Amino acid sequence: AQSVTQPDIHITVSEGASLELRCNYSYGATPYLFWYVQSPGQGLQLLLKYFSGDTLVQGIKGFEAEFKRSQSSFNLRKPSVHWSDAAEYFCAVGANTGNQFYFGTGTSLTVIP
Amino acid sequence: GAGVSQSPSNKVTEKGKDVELRCDPISGHTALYWYRQRLGQGLEFLIYFQGNSAPDKSGLPSDRFSAERTGESVSTLTIQRTQQEDSAVYLCASGGKGLKLFFGSGTQLSVL
């Protein structure tokens, strides 16, 4: 069965510190992988996506993610967190048919001064 | 508008009443999705429309839930005889090429 696991429900980091949000997936075919961010009162926004090719993908707002097939992971990273990064982050997996996307339960990020 | 618009933004209803939620997708987007987000949980897929193809209704939790979309225009999600467990944020997303989804801000449904 297809699923996405985000093991960390809530993470707190200091502004300027590095960040890594974990995502593990279970998918029967070659996965298409996504990270979305949901800021308070706003809709989800796509940060980055992986379809094929280079396993390290760059996204908006200075985020990057690395696809590791052997670990079934697609962790999100940022070298230096800004206060404005405080939000809910969702990992998702989908098929190239586009008919369904499976989302994780999200990781809430708090950034402290 | 430039983004996905959902209305109402908030809906409070009494148990047993019917509710209708609306989604205006981005013009030209052929794909439209409805998701449900319960408090503290991830997004739960409900239904997917792609152009004029038959919708994928596999995520609808019961026959009280239904959705319609005419062509590539507005979609409505209807919940009949609402129950308290239907309380959640209902998110709509539309998608064009590249499997990139654009989400609306959602409708917060509260069933008393």
Side-chain angles (χ1 to χ4, degrees):
Chain A
Q2 295 88 342
S3 67
V4 177
T5 301
Q6 293 182 246
D8 305 305
I9 297 173
H10 186 232
I11 286 182
T12 299
V13 298
S14 298
E15 190 169 15
S18 63
L19 171 70
E20 182 169 26
L21 303 183
R22 297 183 290 166
C23 172
N24 293 93
Y25 66 89
S26 173
Y27 200 71
T30 299
Y32 287 10
L33 296 158
F34 308 81
W35 275 98
Y36 283 84
V37 60
Q38 185 178 34
S39 298
Q42 300 186 24
L44 280 81
Q45 180 184 22
L46 180 68
L47 283 176
L48 47 78
K49 60 185 178 182
Y50 170 78
F51 286 177
S52 65
D54 192 348
T55 56
L56 183 64
V57 293
Q58 303 296 320
I60 62 172
K61 304 184 181 185
F63 285 92
E64 66 178 26
E66 186 171 12
F67 170 55
K68 294 185 177 180
R69 184 184 298 275
S70 62
Q71 298 177 21
S72 297
S73 69
F74 189 57
N75 294 349
L76 182 72
R77 301 195 293 251
K78 186 169 184 177
S80 179
V81 170
H82 188 262
W83 64 267
S84 61
D85 294 324
E88 189 87 15
Y89 291 81
F90 292 92
C91 181
V93 63
N96 60 358
T97 54
N99 63 327
Q100 259 199 52
F101 293 86
Y102 297 90
F103 283 80
T105 52
T107 297
S108 176
L109 175 65
T110 296
V111 180
I112 56 177
Chain B
V4 176
S5 178
Q6 291 188 246
S7 60
S9 56
N10 282 280
K11 177 70 176 179
V12 180
T13 190
E14 295 179 348
K15 178 182 174 181
K17 300 285 189 182
D18 297 352
V19 296
E20 189 173 277
L21 312 181
R22 177 186 170 102
C23 174
D24 283 275
I26 293 174
S27 177
H29 280 188
T30 58
L32 188 145
Y33 305 77
W34 282 98
Y35 285 86
R36 179 169 66 179
Q37 186 178 22
R38 288 188 166 128
L39 187 63
Q41 299 188 21
L43 278 68
E44 177 187 358
F45 168 77
L46 296 177
I47 189 169
Y48 163 70
F49 296 91
Q50 176 59 268
N52 292 316
S53 303
D56 177 353
K57 303 180 181 180
S58 60
L60 294 178
S62 77
D63 59 7
R64 295 187 296 106
F65 288 73
S66 63
E68 293 183 351
R69 186 187 189 198
T70 304
E72 297 178 3
S73 61
V74 170
S75 176
T76 56
L77 176 69
T78 301
I79 309 174
Q80 295 178 310
R81 305 181 302 281
T82 52
Q83 303 296 313
Q84 288 183 331
E85 62 262 28
D86 299 334
S87 296
V89 175
Y90 289 82
L91 293 169
C92 174
S94 70
K97 295 180 180 179
L99 297 181
K100 180 178 180 179
L101 299 186
F102 293 81
F103 283 82
S105 298
T107 294
Q108 173 72 63
L109 176 65
S110 301
V111 182
L112 304 179

